[in-house]
Amino acid sequence: MSSPIITLTTDFGYRDPFVGIMKGVILDINPFATIVDITHGLSPQNILEAAIAIDMSYKSFPPEAIHIVVVDPGVGSARRPILVTNDHCHFVGPDNGVFSLVYNSSESISVVHVTAEHYFLPQTSATFHGRDIFAPVAAWFSRGIDISKFGDPITDYVTIPVPALVLVKKNILEGEVIYIDRFGNAITNINTQNIDDLRSSSPKGKPRVLVKGKEVPLKNHYSEAKDEGLYSLINSFGYLELFVYKGSASSHFGIAVGEKVGVVVS
Amino acid sequence: MSSPIITLTTDFGYRDPFVGIMKGVILDINPFATIVDITHGLSPQNILEAAIAIDMSYKSFPPEAIHIVVVDPGVGSARRPILVTNDHCHFVGPDNGVFSLVYNSSESISVVHVTAEHYFLPQTSATFHGRDIFAPVAAWFSRGIDISKFGDPITDYVTIPVPALVLVKKNILEGEVIYIDRFGNAITNINTQNIDDLRSSSPKGKPRVLVKGKEVPLKNHYSEAKDEGLYSLINSFGYLELFVYKGSASSHFGIAVGEKVGVVVS
Amino acid sequence: MSSPIITLTTDFGYRDPFVGIMKGVILDINPFATIVDITHGLSPQNILEAAIAIDMSYKSFPPEAIHIVVVDPGVGSARRPILVTNDHCHFVGPDNGVFSLVYNSSESISVVHVTAEHYFLPQTSATFHGRDIFAPVAAWFSRGIDISKFGDPITDYVTIPVPALVLVKKNILEGEVIYIDRFGNAITNINTQNIDDLRSSSPKGKPRVLVKGKEVPLKNHYSEAKDEGLYSLINSFGYLELFVYKGSASSHFGIAVGEKVGVVVS
């Protein structure tokens, strides 16, 4: 039998020992767990960024994996620890909206408010629930303990507002940049389906991408762009992305999260 | 049987392949080892920071784990490689004081000067003992080889000076910031016990925290602070910590390692 | 039996979930794989740096390890995915020269152009072959599938120009800095063998290192340097390296990749 997978997605960064400490707690409870880092480089306390990162990632992992997400500015307050199960796998983290995009992308969702404190560490601090609650809950759950033992289902779990698309006209869609990656590529909230829907309004039209009032040519892959201009493509997650070949769209063209991006079919 | 755990705590950073190389050496000697990163983001050659990080971490790992720590400005010189065993687990690293806080926090300690060169790599370089000495020694030790085979016990192991508390008056204690974390939280060397001891001097008094001549309100958790002022709390390791809610105490208030922090009970 | 080792060396950085996603794909295909990070901090799209990093690393891993390298500015274009086998282990990555130094350091090499698309993910994007091609190919290969099933051998694999040494006179050699590490140490392309060869020209001479027209004293290890001057030594990989004790040769002396370094024996 292969070992259960527990992943970690946090804003803890790479300077401090906090992530290592969570792994120690997990291995102390379940020495057979396979622990995988998704990322610890999320912007501090940026719940939307965490929601995007885990939603990008979980489908690539085996079914039944347990994904811990800790971006938790409300640690120590009344916000609830939750254990989420969708049609593919499981999630453990704070009930602060960090799973908002997972809720959207899942066919089925059940959310349990974790109240069984005997699955926490014996002493629970007010500032490090990654170590004291989320890591041990995931580790105990990975040992096969039934989810009903952790607490009761809730339906009033928290979601955060996710930037929405605006259909300006029947052939004009406005979205925005929601994530800048390490290379400076700017990922928008406009996906292939959105563009296809728009095209159905003008079947003979071609989609054009507009940023800062200028057209941004649509390419198939990065190295099709032969100069240092701003280009766009459909990225590997199915979303429209702005890029500069071998450069940073973000720093070369001053594009940040929130930058409006239009798609016009005509 | 679960696999032996070997952790890594270094100042090697995340650009170079050095940490990966150490893992290769470990797996070549013990393919069944479970290797866990604690952190590689320690400030270069900062022995005190390494001493704090490993002391924060080791108790969260299972007993018998082997913790390699490599912050080693004296690599290649006469400083000794050591194998440390306390009441909980084991440590491998240079004898330069990197385990000073572990020595303080342990109920029992034995330190072996590792001289058995057949547990090193065949060729030992002058600049990368992480690869050539510490990784292979930990890996061989994880295979169950008796500690007496690695060398003889020593009692003159090196400790570094650790910032000490000053009892200014019977109700006034002065400590200092000893670690800034990724979020800009400033961790002091004043712990719960120190504050309780101080309170015994004035049983009806309440503790007040003073930084740069101003009082810093004491909270229970981060989100109790409702503005961007400087606050304090007892952190998850039992130490007094200065923080800004959703901000950086370090950059907003110019607090660095060494900043004096007072506690007054009156 | 120990589990197969798959390593990852990329320029994906530590902010985004891309590396974690690759690990998910690997574990979904081979849950028994042991995945090891070499580094993800390579300079974006710097193929030479990747070539140096993997060549520094692979010999420290057990034989039969599979090393994935993804620095891939041409992702989505016609550049081929390859599976490389040398006398020690295996490599998977783009055919863009990222294995140039491995080719040089190997006693034997065979390179297969991976064309068997049933070992890719079902949907292959144009921008993330780490997830869609390299991770699944390595994972399937780690399950013991014969290399002949992946594609046909090629001999016209790509190599990139690697900075070469110039023998200025029979006793004067000019090389250059090819890598700056996290500590600011500047690694050159001049190795022990090169210096020994030079000494054979003047058997009674001593080697002197010259940078920016000044002599840089040659030491045995870092802490032999007792001031903040620029020094040199033969590093743990057998190459001449410039350093500042407890400081950065790169920032203190303005040394970057490409800086010329001379060795004179006289």
Side-chain angles (χ1 to χ4, degrees):
Chain A
M1 206 191 71
S2 63
S3 54
I5 292 169
I6 298 177
T7 79
L8 300 174
T9 303
T10 78
D11 62 354
F12 290 174
Y14 294 90
R15 291 184 51 235
D16 305 312
F18 306 145
V19 173
I21 289 169
M22 287 179 66
K23 294 179 181 176
V25 169
I26 291 169
L27 291 170
D28 201 28
I29 294 169
N30 189 349
F32 300 100
T34 293
I35 304 172
V36 180
D37 297 302
I38 292 185
T39 182
H40 304 292
L42 296 169
S43 305
Q45 293 147 346
N46 190 325
I47 294 172
L48 177 60
E49 199 174 287
I52 293 168
I54 190 63
D55 190 51
M56 275 178 162
S57 305
Y58 79 84
K59 296 176 209 84
S60 293
F61 280 83
E64 298 305 315
I66 302 165
H67 302 283
I68 302 176
V69 180
V70 191
V71 173
D72 192 16
V75 58
S77 69
R79 70 97 192 84
R80 300 170 292 195
I82 53 176
L83 202 167
V84 176
T85 298
N86 74 355
D87 43 294
H88 186 66
C89 56
H90 311 279
F91 305 86
V92 174
D95 181 29
N96 61 11
V98 86
F99 301 120
S100 296
L101 293 179
V102 169
Y103 301 149
N104 290 344
S105 67
S106 302
E107 289 179 27
S108 68
I109 277 285
S110 83
V111 179
V112 164
H113 173 198
V114 180
T115 51
E117 297 186 7
H118 51 283
Y119 297 125
F120 300 174
L121 289 197
Q123 300 239 338
T124 304
S125 74
T127 59
F128 193 4
H129 287 187
R131 177 192 64 187
D132 303 335
I133 296 180
F134 304 124
V137 163
W140 286 111
F141 185 58
S142 77
R143 289 178 53 161
I145 292 168
D146 194 84
I147 199 165
S148 65
K149 305 284 189 191
F150 288 87
D152 291 325
I154 56 173
T155 54
D156 63 341
Y157 46 84
V158 173
T159 58
I160 53 168
V162 172
L165 300 179
V166 179
L167 193 66
V168 180
K169 292 188 183 174
K170 69 172 184 173
N171 67 330
I172 303 180
L173 188 65
E174 189 183 81
E176 63 189 81
V177 170
I178 58 167
Y179 188 90
I180 307 281
D181 77 15
R182 180 279 156 127
F183 300 96
N185 300 317
I187 303 176
T188 74
N189 58 345
I190 302 169
N191 67 26
T192 319
Q193 186 61 51
N194 303 140
I195 296 175
D196 284 350
D197 289 350
L198 207 64
R199 292 174 90 161
S200 70
S201 73
S202 341
K204 291 181 182 168
K206 293 186 71 169
R208 291 183 300 130
V209 177
L210 295 166
V211 177
K212 296 184 195 281
K214 290 191 180 161
E215 184 167 348
V216 177
L218 198 51
K219 299 290 180 183
N220 289 307
H221 55 83
Y222 297 128
S223 60
E224 263 184 34
K226 293 301 182 201
D227 58 35
E228 296 198 326
L230 186 65
Y231 291 92
S232 62
L233 49 61
I234 300 299
N235 75 10
S236 65
F237 300 92
Y239 282 81
L240 184 68
E241 177 178 310
L242 311 175
F243 74 96
V244 170
Y245 180 53
K246 292 195 182 180
S248 163
S250 173
S251 60
H252 294 198
F253 289 89
I255 293 169
V257 166
E259 178 79 43
K260 299 297 180 195
V261 177
V263 178
V264 181
V265 174
S266 63
Chain B
M1 207 191 71
S2 62
S3 55
I5 292 169
I6 297 177
T7 79
L8 299 174
T9 303
T10 77
D11 61 353
F12 290 174
Y14 294 90
R15 293 184 50 235
D16 306 312
F18 305 145
V19 172
I21 289 170
M22 287 180 65
K23 295 179 182 177
V25 169
I26 292 169
L27 291 170
D28 201 26
I29 293 169
N30 189 351
F32 300 101
T34 292
I35 303 173
V36 180
D37 297 302
I38 292 186
T39 182
H40 305 291
L42 296 170
S43 305
Q45 294 147 346
N46 190 325
I47 294 172
L48 177 60
E49 199 174 288
I52 293 168
I54 190 63
D55 190 52
M56 274 179 162
S57 305
Y58 79 85
K59 297 177 209 82
S60 293
F61 280 82
E64 298 306 315
I66 301 165
H67 302 283
I68 301 176
V69 180
V70 190
V71 173
D72 193 16
V75 60
S77 68
R79 70 97 193 84
R80 301 170 290 194
I82 53 176
L83 203 168
V84 176
T85 299
N86 74 356
D87 43 295
H88 186 65
C89 57
H90 309 279
F91 304 86
V92 174
D95 180 30
N96 62 10
V98 87
F99 301 120
S100 297
L101 293 178
V102 169
Y103 301 149
N104 289 344
S105 68
S106 301
E107 290 178 27
S108 67
I109 278 284
S110 83
V111 179
V112 164
H113 174 198
V114 181
T115 51
E117 296 186 6
H118 51 283
Y119 297 126
F120 301 174
L121 289 197
Q123 299 240 338
T124 304
S125 74
T127 58
F128 193 3
H129 287 186
R131 177 192 65 188
D132 303 336
I133 296 181
F134 304 124
V137 163
W140 285 112
F141 185 59
S142 77
R143 288 179 55 161
I145 291 169
D146 193 84
I147 199 165
S148 66
K149 305 284 190 191
F150 288 87
D152 292 324
I154 55 172
T155 54
D156 63 341
Y157 46 82
V158 174
T159 58
I160 53 167
V162 173
L165 300 178
V166 179
L167 192 65
V168 180
K169 292 187 182 176
K170 68 172 185 172
N171 67 327
I172 303 180
L173 187 66
E174 189 183 81
E176 63 189 81
V177 171
I178 57 167
Y179 188 91
I180 307 281
D181 77 15
R182 183 274 156 128
F183 300 96
N185 300 318
I187 303 176
T188 74
N189 58 344
I190 302 169
N191 66 27
T192 319
Q193 187 61 50
N194 304 139
I195 297 176
D196 285 350
D197 290 350
L198 206 65
R199 292 173 88 161
S200 70
S201 73
S202 343
K204 291 180 181 168
K206 292 187 72 170
R208 292 182 302 131
V209 176
L210 295 166
V211 177
K212 295 183 196 281
K214 288 188 182 167
E215 183 167 350
V216 177
L218 198 51
K219 299 290 182 183
N220 289 307
H221 55 83
Y222 297 129
S223 61
E224 262 184 36
K226 292 302 182 201
D227 57 36
E228 295 196 329
L230 187 64
Y231 291 92
S232 62
L233 50 60
I234 301 299
N235 75 9
S236 66
F237 300 92
Y239 282 81
L240 185 68
E241 177 179 310
L242 311 175
F243 73 97
V244 169
Y245 180 53
K246 292 195 182 181
S248 164
S250 173
S251 61
H252 293 199
F253 289 89
I255 293 170
V257 166
E259 178 80 42
K260 299 297 178 194
V261 177
V263 178
V264 181
V265 175
S266 62
Chain C
M1 207 191 71
S2 63
S3 55
I5 292 169
I6 297 177
T7 80
L8 299 174
T9 302
T10 78
D11 61 353
F12 290 174
Y14 293 90
R15 292 183 52 233
D16 306 312
F18 305 144
V19 173
I21 289 169
M22 287 180 66
K23 294 179 183 178
V25 169
I26 291 169
L27 292 169
D28 202 26
I29 293 169
N30 188 350
F32 300 101
T34 293
I35 304 172
V36 180
D37 297 301
I38 292 186
T39 182
H40 305 292
L42 295 170
S43 305
Q45 293 145 347
N46 190 325
I47 294 171
L48 177 60
E49 198 173 288
I52 293 169
I54 189 62
D55 190 52
M56 275 179 162
S57 305
Y58 78 84
K59 296 176 209 84
S60 294
F61 281 82
E64 298 305 315
I66 301 165
H67 302 283
I68 302 177
V69 180
V70 190
V71 172
D72 193 16
V75 60
S77 69
R79 71 95 193 86
R80 301 170 291 193
I82 53 176
L83 202 167
V84 176
T85 299
N86 74 356
D87 42 294
H88 186 65
C89 56
H90 310 279
F91 304 86
V92 174
D95 181 29
N96 62 10
V98 85
F99 301 120
S100 296
L101 292 178
V102 169
Y103 301 149
N104 289 344
S105 68
S106 301
E107 290 178 26
S108 67
I109 277 285
S110 84
V111 180
V112 164
H113 174 198
V114 180
T115 51
E117 296 186 6
H118 50 283
Y119 296 126
F120 301 175
L121 289 197
Q123 299 239 339
T124 303
S125 74
T127 59
F128 193 4
H129 287 186
R131 176 192 65 188
D132 304 336
I133 296 180
F134 304 124
V137 163
W140 286 111
F141 184 59
S142 77
R143 287 178 56 161
I145 291 168
D146 193 83
I147 199 166
S148 65
K149 305 283 189 192
F150 288 86
D152 292 324
I154 56 172
T155 54
D156 64 340
Y157 47 83
V158 173
T159 58
I160 53 167
V162 173
L165 301 179
V166 179
L167 192 66
V168 180
K169 293 189 183 174
K170 69 173 185 172
N171 67 328
I172 303 179
L173 189 66
E174 190 183 80
E176 62 188 84
V177 170
I178 57 168
Y179 189 90
I180 306 282
D181 77 14
R182 183 275 158 127
F183 300 96
N185 301 317
I187 303 176
T188 74
N189 59 345
I190 302 169
N191 66 25
T192 319
Q193 187 61 50
N194 303 139
I195 296 176
D196 285 350
D197 289 350
L198 207 63
R199 292 173 90 162
S200 68
S201 73
S202 342
K204 292 180 182 168
K206 293 186 71 171
R208 291 183 300 130
V209 176
L210 295 167
V211 177
K212 296 184 195 283
K214 289 190 182 164
E215 184 167 348
V216 178
L218 196 53
K219 298 290 182 184
N220 289 306
H221 56 82
Y222 297 129
S223 60
E224 262 184 34
K226 292 302 182 201
D227 58 36
E228 296 197 328
L230 186 64
Y231 291 93
S232 62
L233 50 59
I234 300 299
N235 74 10
S236 65
F237 300 93
Y239 281 82
L240 184 68
E241 177 178 310
L242 311 176
F243 73 96
V244 170
Y245 180 53
K246 292 194 182 181
S248 164
S250 173
S251 60
H252 294 200
F253 289 90
I255 293 170
V257 166
E259 177 80 41
K260 298 298 178 195
V261 178
V263 179
V264 182
V265 174
S266 62

